[in-house]
């Protein structure tokens, strides 16, 4: 519970961000998703594959910017 509240408090700050460090399977992604839900944020996740390149990255950024524009009206 302490970790969830700490991450939620950090990401709710202006320009708030946190780098969660831990071994695989320790719940970093779940913690980040739950903290985002508590703060009423939407999660945007990039799925990287062996064919992922600059073009795909630019498409993902464009998609993210469009979602932000729709959300802010």
């Amino acid at each position: 519970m302490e970790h969830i509240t700490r991450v939620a408090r950090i990401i709710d700050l202006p320009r708030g961000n946190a780098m969660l460090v831990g071994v695989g399977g320790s719940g970093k992604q779940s913690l980040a998703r739950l903290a985002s839900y508590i703060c009423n944020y939407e999660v945007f996740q990039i799925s990287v594959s062996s064919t992922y390149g600059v073009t795909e990255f630019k498409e993902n950024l464009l998609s993210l910017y469009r979602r932000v524009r729709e959300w802010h009206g």
Side-chain angles (χ1 to χ4, degrees):
M1 187 60 110
E2 181 181 327
H3 297 300
I4 294 170
T5 56
R6 181 178 296 148
V7 172
R9 186 183 74 242
I10 290 169
I11 65 172
D12 203 32
L13 294 170
R15 297 185 184 184
N17 58 71
M19 182 169 65
L20 305 179
V21 179
V23 297
S26 62
K28 297 179 298 290
Q29 184 175 6
S30 299
L31 177 66
R33 287 182 176 275
L34 182 56
S36 298
Y37 176 79
I38 290 170
C39 294
N40 292 320
Y41 292 148
E42 188 175 333
V43 175
F44 183 83
Q45 184 171 349
I46 295 174
S47 298
V48 179
S49 67
S50 60
T51 60
Y52 190 83
V54 174
T55 304
E56 290 79 15
F57 178 69
K58 288 180 180 180
E59 290 171 1
N60 282 327
L61 278 181
L62 185 59
S63 171
L64 178 61
Y65 290 150
R66 286 182 179 144
R67 289 170 73 177
V68 169
R69 184 181 62 202
E70 290 172 6
W71 189 69
H72 284 289

